[in-house]
């Protein structure tokens, strides 16, 4: 297991093959980091599918409106077109490159349209630099990300089983004892 230095800014994403530990970067993109924590704490990411997964490029997820496999309104064909009930976020571009394992904010053509969707880069995708907000990086479990079923959308998509802020996950573990 990886040493978590800042549990308040660390995400624990449970996938079918194991846990992905993501370090959020609030010093680089504070609004995006805060949004991910807010949605994770509300359980909004639990059950949301990876609706766009391109080999050698990235895995995209986070459509809490249409992409939650556990919800009555789940629609794989519409997954990727929705967000959350929260307002869109302004771009928080930085000099951080889109390297393998970084988290980027998915958005429409409008740079200020990011909401709940995000992608994890499979490779260094530097052509995205300065165009999409980078707000996290995978610390461990990238092999689980690599194993996500590919497709646009995949016929039988993988999903985020649960997404928690590490500071809360410790509390949950203590509560279960």
């Amino acid at each position: 297991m990886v040493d978590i230095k800042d549990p308040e800014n660390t995400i624990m994403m449970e996938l079918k093959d194991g846990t992905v530990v993501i370090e959020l970067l609030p010093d680089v993109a504070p609004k995006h980091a805060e949004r991910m924590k807010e949605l994770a704490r509300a359980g909004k990411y639990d059950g949301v599918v990876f609706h766009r997964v391109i080999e050698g490029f990235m895995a995209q997820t986070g459509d809490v409106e249409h992409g939650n496999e556990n919800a009555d309104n789940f629609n794989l064909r519409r997954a990727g077109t929705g967000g959350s009930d929260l307002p869109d976020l302004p771009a928080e571009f930085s000099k951080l490159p889109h390297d393998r394992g970084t988290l980027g904010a998915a958005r429409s053509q409008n740079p200020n349209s990011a909401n709940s969707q995000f992608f994890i880069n499979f490779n260094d995708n530097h052509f995205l630099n300065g165009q999409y907000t980078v707000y996290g990086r995978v610390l461990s479990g990238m092999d689980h990300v690599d194993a996500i079923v590919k497709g646009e959308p995949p016929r039988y998509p993988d999903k985020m089983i649960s997404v928690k802020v590490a500071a809360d996950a410790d509390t949950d573990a203590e509560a279960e004892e």
Side-chain angles (χ1 to χ4, degrees), residues 123-144:
N123 290 334
D124 292 351
N125 293 318
H126 294 170
F127 63 93
L128 300 174
N129 291 354
Q131 298 178 61
Y132 292 84
T133 300
V134 174
Y135 65 100
R137 66 172 64 96
V138 173
L139 296 178
S140 70
M142 193 60 197
D143 53 328
H144 306 317

Side-chain angles (χ1 to χ4, degrees), residues 5-81:
K5 293 175 179 46
D6 182 2
E8 179 57 30
N9 288 297
T10 303
I11 296 291
M12 312 292 286
M13 178 189 298
E14 197 63 39
L15 301 180
K16 71 179 187 310
D17 294 320
T19 304
V20 179
V21 179
I22 299 167
E23 172 190 33
L24 295 177
L25 305 170
D27 53 328
V28 174
K31 290 178 173 65
H32 287 76
E34 192 57 42
R35 173 65 53 86
M36 184 164 214
K37 292 189 297 185
E38 183 177 357
L39 292 171
R41 285 188 161 125
K44 298 289 189 181
Y45 284 130
D46 299 355
V48 175
V49 300
F50 286 87
H51 64 269
R52 185 170 177 242
V53 186
I54 303 170
E55 182 77 46
F57 179 34
M58 57 89 216
Q60 186 171 332
T61 185
D63 183 344
V64 301
E65 185 178 359
H66 303 296
N68 188 331
E69 193 177 72
N70 302 329
D72 292 338
N73 67 341
F74 173 67
N75 185 335
L76 186 56
R77 278 176 276 164
R78 291 197 65 200
T81 63

